[in-house]
Amino acid sequence: MTGDKAKFFTHKKTIVQFILSLFVFFIHFSVFSVFRDAAQINRVFDILRIPTRVAVPLFFIISGALFYRNYTLPATLDKWKSRFFSLCIPYLVWNTLWLILALLGYYTPLGAFLGGAKAAFTWQNILRGIFLYGYFEPFWFIYQSILLVALCPVIYLLMKNKWIGLVAIVAFYIACCFGLDLSPVFVDTSMILPYLIGAWIGIHGFEVFISRKSKTQAITGLAVFILCVVFCGFSPLLPQWSDTLLLPFVVTVIACGAFWVAFDLFDLKKCPKFAEESFLIYAGHSIVGATVCKIISILLPSGQLFTALTAVIAFPVTIVILCAFGRGLARFLPRTKRILTGR
């Protein structure tokens, strides 16, 4: 993968991941305390969250595809080493930061202002906070990614043969339909499925994955994505057997592919610098977003209208703050940024 093709794929991946990080932020937005009693606003949030369902499964698909695109069993140690710095180090550093905030929230008035989890100083809380994302729930994604990376030789042997790999994916899906639950080891068993799909793509279809589609295919992808979103919006009205077959989840996975293809509508010859801050938005949106919401809600009068205005202002302001923070780190503390983001 060289030249314009590589540049297009890099830009596309960066921009898509940035948008997915915004989706993750929006998924968690309504849990901020200022929106807790805003019933009408939360109904709007519920509707607007429907397209964001692609965020986590598409992250897993991309992660699996990138990890297995040039994977061989002899390369396992190198792959583990690479992911140790890109996944494990940021995971431990951010978990430690969240633990410190939880301790501050428990022992000082700072917690009442910032919101979030609070924790007493015990060894159990410390170990849970650092190694099991105890005080920042969104980091379950990285925790599960680390586990999947650790199992890469097993996954590779399953996916190595094209047809056996497809059978394994279908078999795992059927097992999930029958209630397969790998917790507490894996936080979300169903999310292993998109990772396996990504692994299969990385081994057998990476060129198709990165190749630019025609305008007709991209428009079709956009149309399919919209139809999938509409379907998911009406999924609560479906009969119970659709949940047994994980039909809404299957449609969401299809929407992931459609969402990826739809981006070939755009030129993507350039990638804005702020789009490189997806990890910081993912890792920092909770503390920054909650604080911004608190400040704005204090400045504005109470009421549904002003709570809605808080949401409209706080979301972009949080993104701007985190992007500016990322650019500042890149310029003045590049090593710190590499530690925090794994890059």
Coordinates of all heavy atoms in Angstrom, one line a residue, residues 12-13 15-21 23-24 51-66 141 191 193-195 197-198 201 209 225 249 252-263:
K12 N -8.8 8.7 5.4 CA -10.1 8.1 5.7 C -10.2 7.5 7.1 O -11.2 7.8 7.8 CB -10.5 7.1 4.6 CG -11.8 6.5 4.8 CD -12.1 5.5 3.7 CE -13.4 4.8 3.9 NZ -13.7 3.8 2.8
K13 N -9.2 6.7 7.4 CA -9.2 6.0 8.7 C -9.2 7.1 9.9 O -9.9 7.0 10.8 CB -8.0 5.1 8.9 CG -7.9 4.5 10.2 CD -6.7 3.5 10.2 CE -5.4 4.2 10.1 NZ -5.0 5.0 11.3
I15 N -10.2 10.3 9.8 CA -11.4 11.1 9.9 C -12.6 10.2 10.4 O -13.4 10.7 11.3 CB -11.7 11.7 8.5 CG1 -10.7 12.7 8.1 CG2 -13.1 12.3 8.5 CD1 -10.8 13.2 6.7
V16 N -12.7 9.0 9.9 CA -13.7 8.1 10.4 C -13.6 7.8 11.9 O -14.5 7.9 12.7 CB -13.7 6.7 9.7 CG1 -14.6 5.7 10.4 CG2 -14.2 7.0 8.2
Q17 N -12.3 7.6 12.4 CA -12.1 7.3 13.8 C -12.4 8.6 14.6 O -12.9 8.5 15.8 CB -10.7 6.9 14.1 CG -10.4 5.4 13.6 CD -9.0 5.0 13.8 OE1 -8.1 5.8 13.8 NE2 -8.8 3.7 14.1
F18 N -12.1 9.8 14.1 CA -12.5 11.0 14.8 C -14.0 11.1 14.9 O -14.5 11.4 16.0 CB -11.9 12.2 14.0 CG -12.3 13.5 14.6 CD1 -11.6 14.0 15.7 CD2 -13.3 14.3 14.1 CE1 -11.9 15.2 16.3 CE2 -13.6 15.5 14.6 CZ -12.9 16.0 15.7
I19 N -14.7 10.8 13.9 CA -16.2 10.9 14.0 C -16.8 9.9 14.9 O -17.7 10.2 15.7 CB -16.8 10.8 12.6 CG1 -16.5 12.0 11.7 CG2 -18.3 10.6 12.6 CD1 -16.9 11.9 10.3
L20 N -16.2 8.7 14.9 CA -16.6 7.7 15.8 C -16.3 8.1 17.3 O -17.1 7.8 18.2 CB -15.9 6.3 15.5 CG -16.2 5.7 14.2 CD1 -15.5 4.4 14.0 CD2 -17.7 5.5 14.0
S21 N -15.2 8.8 17.5 CA -15.0 9.3 18.9 C -16.0 10.3 19.3 O -16.4 10.4 20.5 CB -13.5 9.8 19.0 OG -13.4 11.1 18.3
F23 N -19.1 10.2 18.3 CA -20.2 9.4 18.5 C -20.2 8.8 20.0 O -21.2 8.8 20.7 CB -20.3 8.2 17.5 CG -20.8 8.6 16.2 CD1 -20.9 7.7 15.2 CD2 -21.2 9.9 15.9 CE1 -21.4 8.0 13.9 CE2 -21.7 10.3 14.6 CZ -21.8 9.3 13.6
V24 N -19.0 8.3 20.3 CA -18.8 7.8 21.7 C -19.1 8.9 22.7 O -19.8 8.6 23.7 CB -17.4 7.2 21.9 CG1 -17.2 6.9 23.3 CG2 -17.2 6.0 21.0
P51 N -27.9 6.8 15.2 CA -26.8 6.6 14.3 C -25.5 6.3 14.9 O -24.6 5.7 14.3 CB -26.7 7.9 13.5 CG -28.1 8.6 13.8 CD -28.5 8.1 15.1
T52 N -25.3 6.6 16.2 CA -24.0 6.5 16.9 C -23.8 5.0 17.3 O -22.7 4.7 17.8 CB -23.9 7.4 18.1 OG1 -24.8 6.9 19.1 CG2 -24.3 8.8 17.8
R53 N -24.8 4.1 17.1 CA -24.6 2.7 17.5 C -23.4 2.1 16.7 O -22.9 1.0 17.1 CB -25.9 2.0 17.2 CG -27.0 2.4 18.1 CD -28.2 1.5 17.8 NE -29.4 2.0 18.6 CZ -30.6 1.3 18.6 NH1 -30.7 0.2 17.9 NH2 -31.6 1.8 19.3
V54 N -23.1 2.6 15.6 CA -22.0 2.0 14.8 C -20.6 2.3 15.4 O -19.6 1.6 15.0 CB -21.9 2.6 13.3 CG1 -23.3 2.3 12.6 CG2 -21.6 4.1 13.3
A55 N -20.5 3.2 16.4 CA -19.2 3.6 16.9 C -18.4 2.5 17.4 O -17.2 2.2 16.9 CB -19.4 4.7 18.0
V56 N -18.8 1.8 18.4 CA -18.0 0.7 19.0 C -17.8 -0.5 18.1 O -16.6 -0.9 17.9 CB -18.6 0.3 20.3 CG1 -17.8 -0.9 21.0 CG2 -18.7 1.4 21.3
P57 N -18.8 -1.0 17.4 CA -18.5 -2.2 16.5 C -17.6 -1.8 15.4 O -16.7 -2.6 15.0 CB -19.9 -2.6 16.0 CG -20.8 -1.5 16.4 CD -20.3 -0.8 17.6
L58 N -17.7 -0.6 14.8 CA -16.8 -0.2 13.7 C -15.4 0.0 14.2 O -14.4 -0.3 13.5 CB -17.3 1.1 13.0 CG -16.6 1.5 11.8 CD1 -16.3 0.4 10.8 CD2 -17.3 2.7 11.1
F59 N -15.2 0.5 15.4 CA -13.9 0.6 16.0 C -13.3 -0.8 16.1 O -12.1 -1.0 15.8 CB -14.0 1.2 17.4 CG -13.7 2.7 17.5 CD1 -14.5 3.6 18.1 CD2 -12.5 3.2 16.9 CE1 -14.3 4.9 18.2 CE2 -12.3 4.6 16.9 CZ -13.1 5.4 17.6
F60 N -14.1 -1.8 16.5 CA -13.5 -3.1 16.6 C -13.2 -3.7 15.3 O -12.2 -4.4 15.1 CB -14.5 -4.0 17.4 CG -14.4 -4.0 18.9 CD1 -15.4 -3.6 19.7 CD2 -13.2 -4.5 19.5 CE1 -15.3 -3.6 21.0 CE2 -13.1 -4.5 20.8 CZ -14.1 -4.0 21.6
I61 N -14.0 -3.4 14.3 CA -13.8 -3.9 12.9 C -12.4 -3.3 12.4 O -11.6 -4.0 11.9 CB -14.9 -3.6 12.0 CG1 -16.1 -4.4 12.3 CG2 -14.5 -3.8 10.5 CD1 -17.4 -4.0 11.6
I62 N -12.3 -2.0 12.5 CA -11.1 -1.4 12.1 C -9.9 -1.9 12.8 O -8.8 -2.2 12.2 CB -11.2 0.2 12.2 CG1 -12.3 0.7 11.3 CG2 -9.8 0.8 12.0 CD1 -12.6 2.2 11.5
S63 N -10.0 -2.1 14.2 CA -8.9 -2.6 15.0 C -8.5 -4.0 14.5 O -7.3 -4.3 14.4 CB -9.3 -2.6 16.4 OG -9.5 -1.3 16.9
G64 N -9.4 -4.8 14.3 CA -9.1 -6.2 13.8 C -8.5 -6.2 12.5 O -7.5 -7.0 12.2
A65 N -9.0 -5.4 11.5 CA -8.5 -5.4 10.2 C -7.0 -4.9 10.2 O -6.2 -5.4 9.5 CB -9.4 -4.5 9.3
L66 N -6.7 -3.8 10.9 CA -5.4 -3.3 11.0 C -4.4 -4.2 11.6 O -3.3 -4.3 11.2 CB -5.4 -1.9 11.7 CG -6.1 -0.8 11.0 CD1 -6.1 0.5 11.9 CD2 -5.5 -0.5 9.7
F141 N -13.6 -0.8 26.4 CA -13.2 -1.1 25.0 C -11.7 -1.4 24.9 O -11.4 -2.4 24.2 CB -13.6 0.2 24.1 CG -13.0 0.1 22.7 CD1 -13.6 -0.6 21.7 CD2 -11.8 0.8 22.4 CE1 -13.1 -0.7 20.5 CE2 -11.2 0.7 21.2 CZ -11.9 0.0 20.2
M191 N -19.4 -8.0 21.1 CA -18.5 -7.2 20.4 C -17.2 -7.9 19.9 O -16.4 -7.4 19.2 CB -18.1 -6.0 21.3 CG -19.1 -4.9 21.4 SD -19.5 -4.2 19.8 CE -21.0 -3.3 20.2
L193 N -17.6 -10.4 17.9 CA -18.1 -10.7 16.6 C -17.5 -9.7 15.6 O -16.9 -10.1 14.6 CB -19.6 -10.8 16.5 CG -20.2 -11.2 15.1 CD1 -19.7 -12.6 14.8 CD2 -21.7 -11.2 15.2
P194 N -17.7 -8.3 15.7 CA -17.1 -7.4 14.8 C -15.6 -7.5 14.7 O -15.0 -7.2 13.7 CB -17.6 -6.0 15.2 CG -18.1 -6.2 16.6 CD -18.6 -7.6 16.7
Y195 N -14.9 -7.8 15.9 CA -13.5 -7.9 15.8 C -13.1 -9.1 15.0 O -12.1 -9.0 14.2 CB -13.0 -8.1 17.3 CG -11.4 -8.0 17.3 CD1 -10.8 -6.8 17.4 CD2 -10.7 -9.2 17.3 CE1 -9.4 -6.8 17.5 CE2 -9.3 -9.2 17.4 CZ -8.7 -7.9 17.5 OH -7.3 -7.9 17.5
I197 N -14.8 -10.3 12.5 CA -15.0 -9.9 11.1 C -13.9 -9.0 10.6 O -13.4 -9.2 9.5 CB -16.3 -9.1 11.0 CG1 -17.5 -10.0 11.3 CG2 -16.5 -8.4 9.6 CD1 -18.9 -9.3 11.4
G198 N -13.4 -8.1 11.5 CA -12.2 -7.3 11.1 C -11.0 -8.1 10.9 O -10.2 -7.8 9.9
I201 N -11.2 -9.7 7.5 CA -11.0 -8.7 6.5 C -9.5 -8.5 6.4 O -8.9 -8.4 5.3 CB -11.8 -7.4 6.8 CG1 -13.3 -7.7 6.6 CG2 -11.3 -6.3 5.9 CD1 -14.1 -6.5 7.1
F209 N -10.9 -3.7 1.5 CA -11.2 -2.8 2.6 C -10.7 -1.4 2.4 O -11.4 -0.4 2.6 CB -10.7 -3.4 3.9 CG -10.9 -2.6 5.1 CD1 -12.2 -2.4 5.6 CD2 -9.9 -2.0 5.8 CE1 -12.5 -1.7 6.8 CE2 -10.1 -1.3 7.0 CZ -11.4 -1.1 7.4
F225 N -26.7 2.8 5.0 CA -26.6 3.3 6.3 C -27.8 4.0 6.9 O -28.2 3.7 8.0 CB -25.4 4.3 6.4 CG -25.2 4.9 7.7 CD1 -24.7 4.1 8.8 CD2 -25.5 6.2 8.0 CE1 -24.5 4.7 10.1 CE2 -25.3 6.8 9.2 CZ -24.8 6.0 10.3
F249 N -28.5 -5.9 16.2 CA -27.0 -5.9 16.2 C -26.4 -6.2 14.8 O -25.5 -5.6 14.4 CB -26.5 -6.9 17.3 CG -25.0 -6.9 17.4 CD1 -24.3 -5.8 17.9 CD2 -24.2 -7.9 16.9 CE1 -22.9 -5.8 18.0 CE2 -22.9 -8.0 16.9 CZ -22.2 -6.9 17.5
T252 N -26.8 -3.3 12.7 CA -25.8 -2.3 13.1 C -24.4 -2.6 12.5 O -23.7 -1.7 12.0 CB -25.6 -2.2 14.6 OG1 -26.9 -1.8 15.2 CG2 -24.6 -1.2 15.0
V253 N -24.0 -3.9 12.5 CA -22.8 -4.3 11.8 C -22.8 -4.0 10.3 O -21.8 -3.5 9.8 CB -22.5 -5.8 12.1 CG1 -21.3 -6.3 11.3 CG2 -22.3 -6.1 13.6
I254 N -23.9 -4.3 9.7 CA -24.1 -3.9 8.3 C -24.0 -2.4 8.1 O -23.3 -1.9 7.2 CB -25.5 -4.4 7.7 CG1 -25.5 -5.9 7.7 CG2 -25.7 -3.9 6.3 CD1 -26.9 -6.5 7.4
A255 N -24.5 -1.6 9.0 CA -24.4 -0.2 9.0 C -23.0 0.3 9.1 O -22.6 1.3 8.5 CB -25.3 0.4 10.1
C256 N -22.2 -0.5 9.9 CA -20.7 -0.1 10.0 C -20.1 -0.2 8.6 O -19.3 0.7 8.2 CB -20.0 -1.1 10.9 SG -20.5 -1.0 12.6
G257 N -20.3 -1.3 7.9 CA -19.7 -1.4 6.5 C -20.2 -0.3 5.6 O -19.5 0.3 4.8
A258 N -21.5 0.0 5.7 CA -22.1 1.1 4.8 C -21.5 2.4 5.2 O -21.2 3.2 4.3 CB -23.6 1.1 5.0
F259 N -21.3 2.7 6.5 CA -20.8 3.9 6.9 C -19.3 4.1 6.4 O -19.0 5.2 5.9 CB -20.8 4.0 8.5 CG -20.3 5.3 9.1 CD1 -21.2 6.3 9.2 CD2 -19.1 5.4 9.6 CE1 -20.9 7.5 9.8 CE2 -18.7 6.6 10.2 CZ -19.6 7.7 10.3
W260 N -18.6 3.0 6.4 CA -17.2 3.1 5.9 C -17.2 3.3 4.4 O -16.4 4.2 4.0 CB -16.5 1.7 6.2 CG -15.1 1.6 5.7 CD1 -14.7 1.0 4.6 CD2 -13.9 2.2 6.3 NE1 -13.3 1.1 4.4 CE2 -12.8 1.8 5.5 CE3 -13.7 2.9 7.5 CZ2 -11.5 2.2 5.8 CZ3 -12.4 3.2 7.8 CH2 -11.3 2.9 6.9
V261 N -18.0 2.7 3.7 CA -18.0 2.8 2.2 C -18.5 4.2 1.9 O -18.0 4.8 0.9 CB -18.9 1.8 1.6 CG1 -19.2 2.0 0.1 CG2 -18.3 0.4 1.7
A262 N -19.5 4.8 2.6 CA -20.1 6.1 2.3 C -19.0 7.2 2.3 O -19.2 8.2 1.6 CB -21.2 6.4 3.3
F263 N -17.9 7.0 3.0 CA -16.9 8.1 3.1 C -16.1 8.2 1.8 O -15.4 9.2 1.6 CB -16.0 7.8 4.3 CG -16.4 8.5 5.5 CD1 -17.4 8.0 6.3 CD2 -15.9 9.8 5.9 CE1 -17.9 8.6 7.5 CE2 -16.4 10.5 7.0 CZ -17.4 9.9 7.8

